mmCIF file of all heavy atoms in Angstrom:
data_model
loop_
_atom_site.group_PDB
_atom_site.id
_atom_site.type_symbol
_atom_site.label_atom_id
_atom_site.label_comp_id
_atom_site.label_asym_id
_atom_site.label_seq_id
_atom_site.Cartn_x
_atom_site.Cartn_y
_atom_site.Cartn_z
ATOM 1 N N LEU A 26 -21.117 -89.239 -21.910
ATOM 2 C CA LEU A 26 -21.973 -88.967 -20.816
ATOM 3 C C LEU A 26 -23.345 -89.682 -21.040
ATOM 4 O O LEU A 26 -23.945 -90.267 -20.151
ATOM 5 C CB LEU A 26 -22.190 -87.471 -20.571
ATOM 6 C CG LEU A 26 -23.080 -87.136 -19.379
ATOM 7 C CD1 LEU A 26 -22.545 -87.697 -18.051
ATOM 8 C CD2 LEU A 26 -23.167 -85.580 -19.252
ATOM 9 N N ALA A 27 -23.861 -89.588 -22.231
ATOM 10 C CA ALA A 27 -25.139 -90.204 -22.585
ATOM 11 C C ALA A 27 -25.080 -91.734 -22.376
ATOM 12 O O ALA A 27 -26.013 -92.401 -21.812
ATOM 13 C CB ALA A 27 -25.617 -89.914 -23.947
ATOM 14 N N CYS A 29 -23.095 -93.342 -20.350
ATOM 15 C CA CYS A 29 -23.043 -93.630 -18.864
ATOM 16 C C CYS A 29 -24.429 -93.421 -18.250
ATOM 17 O O CYS A 29 -24.810 -94.222 -17.428
ATOM 18 C CB CYS A 29 -22.058 -92.682 -18.205
ATOM 19 S SG CYS A 29 -20.323 -93.021 -18.662
ATOM 20 N N ILE A 30 -25.173 -92.399 -18.663
ATOM 21 C CA ILE A 30 -26.513 -92.133 -18.098
ATOM 22 C C ILE A 30 -27.399 -93.357 -18.404
ATOM 23 O O ILE A 30 -28.164 -93.850 -17.606
ATOM 24 C CB ILE A 30 -27.110 -90.828 -18.654
ATOM 25 C CG1 ILE A 30 -26.365 -89.674 -18.006
ATOM 26 C CG2 ILE A 30 -28.584 -90.829 -18.416
ATOM 27 C CD1 ILE A 30 -26.732 -88.345 -18.595
ATOM 28 N N ARG A 31 -27.347 -93.786 -19.651
ATOM 29 C CA ARG A 31 -28.262 -94.843 -20.076
ATOM 30 C C ARG A 31 -27.895 -96.166 -19.548
ATOM 31 O O ARG A 31 -28.738 -97.038 -19.418
ATOM 32 C CB ARG A 31 -28.303 -94.881 -21.613
ATOM 33 C CG ARG A 31 -28.950 -93.554 -22.149
ATOM 34 C CD ARG A 31 -28.908 -93.511 -23.648
ATOM 35 N NE ARG A 31 -29.687 -94.551 -24.275
ATOM 36 C CZ ARG A 31 -29.884 -94.624 -25.597
ATOM 37 N NH1 ARG A 31 -29.257 -93.814 -26.346
ATOM 38 N NH2 ARG A 31 -30.606 -95.603 -26.069
ATOM 39 N N GLN A 32 -26.638 -96.387 -19.166
ATOM 40 C CA GLN A 32 -26.183 -97.655 -18.631
ATOM 41 C C GLN A 32 -26.153 -97.713 -17.107
ATOM 42 O O GLN A 32 -25.888 -98.767 -16.539
ATOM 43 C CB GLN A 32 -24.868 -98.078 -19.249
ATOM 44 C CG GLN A 32 -24.930 -98.304 -20.739
ATOM 45 C CD GLN A 32 -23.534 -98.521 -21.303
ATOM 46 O OE1 GLN A 32 -22.543 -98.339 -20.679
ATOM 47 N NE2 GLN A 32 -23.491 -98.831 -22.606
ATOM 48 N N SER A 33 -26.336 -96.549 -16.456
ATOM 49 C CA SER A 33 -26.201 -96.506 -15.034
ATOM 50 C C SER A 33 -27.475 -97.026 -14.350
ATOM 51 O O SER A 33 -28.565 -96.995 -14.883
ATOM 52 C CB SER A 33 -25.907 -95.031 -14.557
ATOM 53 O OG SER A 33 -27.068 -94.304 -14.484
ATOM 54 N N GLY A 34 -27.276 -97.459 -13.141
ATOM 55 C CA GLY A 34 -28.440 -97.871 -12.329
ATOM 56 C C GLY A 34 -28.839 -96.788 -11.328
ATOM 57 O O GLY A 34 -29.793 -96.932 -10.608
ATOM 58 N N ASN A 35 -28.121 -95.672 -11.295
ATOM 59 C CA ASN A 35 -28.357 -94.611 -10.387
ATOM 60 C C ASN A 35 -29.285 -93.612 -11.024
ATOM 61 O O ASN A 35 -28.867 -92.754 -11.737
ATOM 62 C CB ASN A 35 -27.051 -93.930 -9.977
ATOM 63 C CG ASN A 35 -27.211 -92.893 -8.894
ATOM 64 O OD1 ASN A 35 -28.372 -92.557 -8.552
ATOM 65 N ND2 ASN A 35 -26.142 -92.435 -8.335
ATOM 66 N N SER A 36 -30.552 -93.746 -10.703
ATOM 67 C CA SER A 36 -31.595 -92.900 -11.402
ATOM 68 C C SER A 36 -31.487 -91.434 -10.993
ATOM 69 O O SER A 36 -31.764 -90.565 -11.796
ATOM 70 C CB SER A 36 -32.975 -93.454 -11.189
ATOM 71 O OG SER A 36 -33.321 -93.380 -9.808
ATOM 72 N N GLU A 37 -31.162 -91.176 -9.702
ATOM 73 C CA GLU A 37 -31.037 -89.786 -9.250
ATOM 74 C C GLU A 37 -29.936 -89.018 -10.037
ATOM 75 O O GLU A 37 -30.122 -87.937 -10.536
ATOM 76 C CB GLU A 37 -30.801 -89.693 -7.772
ATOM 77 C CG GLU A 37 -30.696 -88.317 -7.209
ATOM 78 C CD GLU A 37 -30.381 -88.308 -5.750
ATOM 79 O OE1 GLU A 37 -30.869 -89.152 -5.056
ATOM 80 O OE2 GLU A 37 -29.637 -87.425 -5.321
ATOM 81 N N TRP A 38 -28.774 -89.657 -10.104
ATOM 82 C CA TRP A 38 -27.686 -89.068 -10.849
ATOM 83 C C TRP A 38 -28.080 -88.889 -12.336
ATOM 84 O O TRP A 38 -27.790 -87.863 -12.962
ATOM 85 C CB TRP A 38 -26.416 -89.914 -10.701
ATOM 86 C CG TRP A 38 -25.263 -89.476 -11.543
ATOM 87 C CD1 TRP A 38 -24.408 -88.466 -11.241
ATOM 88 C CD2 TRP A 38 -24.940 -89.906 -12.878
ATOM 89 N NE1 TRP A 38 -23.528 -88.311 -12.309
ATOM 90 C CE2 TRP A 38 -23.799 -89.159 -13.261
ATOM 91 C CE3 TRP A 38 -25.434 -90.917 -13.709
ATOM 92 C CZ2 TRP A 38 -23.173 -89.419 -14.456
ATOM 93 C CZ3 TRP A 38 -24.783 -91.145 -14.939
ATOM 94 C CH2 TRP A 38 -23.691 -90.391 -15.283
ATOM 95 N N ALA A 39 -28.669 -89.940 -12.895
ATOM 96 C CA ALA A 39 -29.027 -89.896 -14.307
ATOM 97 C C ALA A 39 -30.032 -88.809 -14.606
ATOM 98 O O ALA A 39 -29.876 -88.082 -15.631
ATOM 99 C CB ALA A 39 -29.580 -91.264 -14.776
ATOM 100 N N GLN A 40 -31.013 -88.588 -13.740
ATOM 101 C CA GLN A 40 -31.971 -87.530 -13.953
ATOM 102 C C GLN A 40 -31.331 -86.158 -13.861
ATOM 103 O O GLN A 40 -31.635 -85.287 -14.687
ATOM 104 C CB GLN A 40 -33.092 -87.592 -12.950
ATOM 105 C CG GLN A 40 -34.056 -88.726 -13.218
ATOM 106 C CD GLN A 40 -35.175 -88.801 -12.164
ATOM 107 O OE1 GLN A 40 -35.078 -88.149 -11.120
ATOM 108 N NE2 GLN A 40 -36.198 -89.574 -12.435
ATOM 109 N N ARG A 41 -30.396 -85.982 -12.906
ATOM 110 C CA ARG A 41 -29.740 -84.702 -12.774
ATOM 111 C C ARG A 41 -28.872 -84.402 -13.971
ATOM 112 O O ARG A 41 -28.915 -83.295 -14.522
ATOM 113 C CB ARG A 41 -28.885 -84.732 -11.496
ATOM 114 C CG ARG A 41 -28.379 -83.457 -11.075
ATOM 115 C CD ARG A 41 -27.622 -83.463 -9.720
ATOM 116 N NE ARG A 41 -26.541 -84.463 -9.652
ATOM 117 C CZ ARG A 41 -26.583 -85.575 -8.918
ATOM 118 N NH1 ARG A 41 -27.620 -85.841 -8.107
ATOM 119 N NH2 ARG A 41 -25.549 -86.372 -8.934
ATOM 120 N N GLU A 42 -28.145 -85.399 -14.466
ATOM 121 C CA GLU A 42 -27.240 -85.181 -15.641
ATOM 122 C C GLU A 42 -28.044 -85.108 -16.905
ATOM 123 O O GLU A 42 -27.500 -84.378 -17.814
ATOM 124 C CB GLU A 42 -26.198 -86.293 -15.687
ATOM 125 C CG GLU A 42 -25.199 -86.328 -14.572
ATOM 126 C CD GLU A 42 -24.346 -85.034 -14.592
ATOM 127 O OE1 GLU A 42 -23.897 -84.630 -15.649
ATOM 128 O OE2 GLU A 42 -24.143 -84.482 -13.518
ATOM 129 N N SER A 43 -29.155 -85.732 -17.035
ATOM 130 C CA SER A 43 -29.879 -85.722 -18.280
ATOM 131 C C SER A 43 -30.430 -84.301 -18.624
ATOM 132 O O SER A 43 -30.789 -84.019 -19.750
ATOM 133 C CB SER A 43 -30.984 -86.714 -18.275
ATOM 134 O OG SER A 43 -31.932 -86.407 -17.344
ATOM 135 N N ARG A 44 -30.508 -83.398 -17.592
ATOM 136 C CA ARG A 44 -30.988 -82.015 -17.852
ATOM 137 C C ARG A 44 -29.989 -81.275 -18.742
ATOM 138 O O ARG A 44 -30.348 -80.303 -19.348
ATOM 139 C CB ARG A 44 -31.094 -81.298 -16.527
ATOM 140 C CG ARG A 44 -32.307 -81.788 -15.721
ATOM 141 C CD ARG A 44 -32.444 -81.030 -14.468
ATOM 142 N NE ARG A 44 -33.080 -81.849 -13.462
ATOM 143 C CZ ARG A 44 -32.748 -81.890 -12.195
ATOM 144 N NH1 ARG A 44 -31.841 -81.097 -11.726
ATOM 145 N NH2 ARG A 44 -33.297 -82.656 -11.371
ATOM 146 N N ARG A 45 -28.787 -81.742 -18.839
ATOM 147 C CA ARG A 45 -27.801 -81.088 -19.720
ATOM 148 C C ARG A 45 -28.025 -81.312 -21.189
ATOM 149 O O ARG A 45 -27.477 -80.645 -22.023
ATOM 150 C CB ARG A 45 -26.343 -81.599 -19.381
ATOM 151 C CG ARG A 45 -26.002 -81.284 -17.945
ATOM 152 C CD ARG A 45 -24.679 -81.932 -17.522
ATOM 153 N NE ARG A 45 -23.622 -81.519 -18.396
ATOM 154 C CZ ARG A 45 -22.357 -81.974 -18.372
ATOM 155 N NH1 ARG A 45 -22.030 -82.883 -17.508
ATOM 156 N NH2 ARG A 45 -21.478 -81.517 -19.214
ATOM 157 N N PHE A 46 -28.898 -82.293 -21.502
ATOM 158 C CA PHE A 46 -29.101 -82.698 -22.883
ATOM 159 C C PHE A 46 -30.323 -81.943 -23.494
ATOM 160 O O PHE A 46 -31.435 -82.355 -23.416
ATOM 161 C CB PHE A 46 -29.397 -84.222 -22.958
ATOM 162 C CG PHE A 46 -28.165 -85.006 -22.744
ATOM 163 C CD1 PHE A 46 -27.713 -85.279 -21.426
ATOM 164 C CD2 PHE A 46 -27.320 -85.431 -23.748
ATOM 165 C CE1 PHE A 46 -26.603 -85.988 -21.176
ATOM 166 C CE2 PHE A 46 -26.191 -86.151 -23.497
ATOM 167 C CZ PHE A 46 -25.844 -86.383 -22.237
ATOM 168 N N THR A 47 -29.959 -80.780 -24.082
ATOM 169 C CA THR A 47 -30.952 -79.968 -24.750
ATOM 170 C C THR A 47 -30.566 -79.753 -26.185
ATOM 171 O O THR A 47 -29.330 -80.020 -26.520
ATOM 172 C CB THR A 47 -31.110 -78.616 -24.062
ATOM 173 O OG1 THR A 47 -29.861 -77.974 -24.099
ATOM 174 C CG2 THR A 47 -31.595 -78.766 -22.600
ATOM 175 N N LYS A 51 -30.145 -83.738 -27.314
ATOM 176 C CA LYS A 51 -31.238 -84.553 -26.742
ATOM 177 C C LYS A 51 -31.373 -85.915 -27.422
ATOM 178 O O LYS A 51 -31.755 -86.850 -26.806
ATOM 179 C CB LYS A 51 -32.565 -83.705 -26.944
ATOM 180 C CG LYS A 51 -33.729 -84.293 -26.251
ATOM 181 C CD LYS A 51 -34.910 -83.362 -26.236
ATOM 182 C CE LYS A 51 -35.356 -83.308 -24.819
ATOM 183 N NZ LYS A 51 -36.264 -82.197 -24.540
ATOM 184 N N LEU A 54 -29.937 -89.296 -26.047
ATOM 185 C CA LEU A 54 -30.613 -90.054 -24.987
ATOM 186 C C LEU A 54 -31.607 -91.068 -25.653
ATOM 187 O O LEU A 54 -32.120 -91.931 -24.937
ATOM 188 C CB LEU A 54 -31.289 -89.179 -23.977
ATOM 189 C CG LEU A 54 -30.320 -88.284 -23.172
ATOM 190 C CD1 LEU A 54 -31.127 -87.374 -22.209
ATOM 191 C CD2 LEU A 54 -29.351 -89.124 -22.377
#
Side-chain angles (χ1 to χ4, degrees):
L26 181 58
C29 291
I30 287 171
R31 292 174 67 179
Q32 295 173 352
S33 81
N35 185 349
S36 64
E37 181 182 323
W38 175 82
Q40 285 180 346
R41 189 173 58 247
E42 291 297 316
S43 65
R44 291 184 207 139
R45 298 174 59 186
F46 289 83
T47 59
K51 190 170 228 166
L54 297 176

